[in-house]
Amino acid sequence: MDNQSISMLHEKLKQEKGIHTDFKNDMTYGEYLGLDQLLSSQKLLSNHHDEMLFIIIHQVSELWMKLILHELKSAITAIQQNKMQPAFKMLSRVTKIQTQIIQAWDVLSTMTPSEYLEFRDKLGKASGFQSYQYRLIEFALGYKTKHILKIYEKDKALSQVLDEAFKAPSIYDVSIQALAREGLPINKELLTRDFSITYGGEESVAAAWKEVYLNVDKYWDLYQLGEKLVDIEDWLQQWRFRHMKTVERIIGFKIGTGGSSGVNYLKKVLDHRFFPELWDLRTNL
């Protein structure tokens, strides 16, 4: 921008007489957002330039995951209350958030293996594998892994939150209940099953979803619900894939700082399906 353009911009700003500049007794933008705390939360353990990138990428991802959980919890409640339209809005928002998290891997992948090695040892045993919000997302989607809970025993309050989420119905469990509410013949044992066990598929659910997709006009809300769930799983798997490829690009097949097998572990979880009948019906329709 040249000097003339800058002068014109300053003149235009002067004409905005309603702009508030005195905040002695009013809350500022920074105070509302808690920016002092937020922007001072990057505690570098090394002097390496790229550690700031590493910390911020993961902190931003955790903030997005917090919003995903906020939307998923409300969507589960809405579906239980048969309030489908609000649930659809929330689930659509989740997929948009997922695109942001996926793109974060592109930024992190600008860090080379040599650069990461300069500060990797400073992480100790800390690892993204320990992200409790990611585990809560998996629980909300129905993937329940009991051995994971041991990681969080250090924090009693957090451990209780995870235990409750572990035992609670997932979004797919309440979707199956929604199928039953519409009169579709669902195995009654599924409606009161132990929700701490990862759901693996069932014939009556497969038949119900097939009926929905063959009679879209009759079951329009359930049809939309099915597609919203497919969107979420699709984007989650893309996030998992980008995670795996970014890790492979930066550390190859080294063991993760948290003790996992790294890339090999990330490849294994790609095979898990959250909503199996919704994917199988693509073949069976």
Side-chain angles (χ1 to χ4, degrees), residues 2-3 17 33 35 69 76 78 81 87 91 114 119 129 142 162 173-174 181 195 200 207 209 226 253 258 263-264 266:
D2 57 31
N3 290 335
K17 300 186 184 299
L33 294 177
L35 290 182
L69 285 167
I76 287 172
Q81 296 173 350
L91 296 178
S114 300
F119 63 89
F129 183 83
L162 283 152
D173 289 314
V174 300
R181 279 200 308 271
F195 298 121
W209 280 122
F253 286 81
V263 169
N264 286 325
L266 296 173

Side-chain angles (χ1 to χ4, degrees), residues 38 41-43 54-64:
L38 185 66
S41 296
Q42 294 73 48
K43 312 294 186 184
F54 188 82
I55 291 174
I56 288 177
I57 286 293
H58 288 84
Q59 287 181 337
V60 168
S61 294
E62 289 290 338
L63 283 172
W64 280 130

Side-chain angles (χ1 to χ4, degrees), residues 234-252:
D234 189 347
W235 283 108
L236 183 68
Q237 293 292 52
Q238 291 188 53
W239 181 90
R240 282 174 161 178
F241 179 79
R242 289 296 299 126
H243 183 192
M244 181 268 293
K245 293 306 292 184
T246 302
V247 170
E248 183 178 0
R249 175 172 177 157
I250 296 175
I251 68 167

Side-chain angles (χ1 to χ4, degrees), residues 44 46-56 110-111 115-116 118-119:
L44 277 66
S46 75
N47 294 320
H48 196 273
H49 176 81
D50 281 6
E51 190 181 358
M52 180 68 79
L53 163 69
F54 188 82
I55 291 174
I56 288 177
T110 63
M111 182 173 63
E115 289 162 345
Y116 184 43
E118 291 291 327
F119 63 89

